[in-house]
Structure formats: structure tokens, C-alpha cells
Amino acid sequence: EGYASIDALMDDGFRRTRWTPGFTFPGPARRSGLLGPMTAIDHVFATRDLRPLSAFVASAIPGSDHLPVVVDYALPLTPRADR
């Protein structure tokens, strides 16, 4: 429900650029055994006037139980009228 509420107003940059789910949890700090991340619970949201160019799940950060999500965006050429 929380994701859908935000997604109705903004775009998930990873989902717009990739067809893979982008699993980010659990990261190495929480993982037990050999299984890697199995859930996509980390997202990068932006307004729809920003266009995502690429996205990826980055390598683990020491001590974190999530993997970071990185999204590169193109800025709009013209400013928004409501600002």
C-alpha cells in the first residue's frame, strides 16, 4: 500500500529503466547462508519531469543490511511552470 501511494504521484526510476526487479534485501550484513538478496524494498522516486537514464543495484556497503539503488536522471531542458 505504501509503495502504490508514492508510485501514484512519482515514478520509480529503477522500474522505468530496468525489467529486472532490483533485489536489495537482505544485504550481506543480515544474510545467512549463500542466498543473495530476494526482495526489492529500496526505491528511488522522482517527479515525472525527470527522465531516468540508467539504474543499477550497487555493491554492498559495509554494515548495511540493504544494497544501494543508483539511478541517473536527465534534467528537464525547461523549468517547470509551477516553480
Side-chain angles (χ1 to χ4, degrees):
E1 184 175 310
Y3 179 91
S5 299
I6 296 170
D7 193 50
L9 302 171
M10 303 179 90
D11 280 336
D12 181 340
F14 191 93
R15 196 177 78 205
R16 284 189 58 198
T17 59
R18 305 290 299 257
W19 61 269
T20 59
F23 295 146
T24 60
F25 183 82
R30 174 142 326 172
R31 196 177 312 147
S32 63
L34 298 175
L35 296 176
M38 298 176 279
T39 306
I41 59 172
D42 299 283
H43 308 279
V44 178
F45 287 98
T47 58
R48 289 184 172 95
D49 58 337
L50 297 179
R51 184 172 52 94
L53 301 173
S54 64
F56 63 95
V57 175
S59 300
I61 296 173
S64 178
D65 59 354
H66 295 249
L67 297 177
V69 177
V70 178
V71 180
D72 291 316
Y73 285 95
L75 298 175
L77 295 177
T78 57
R80 288 174 44 173
D82 61 346
R83 291 189 183 179

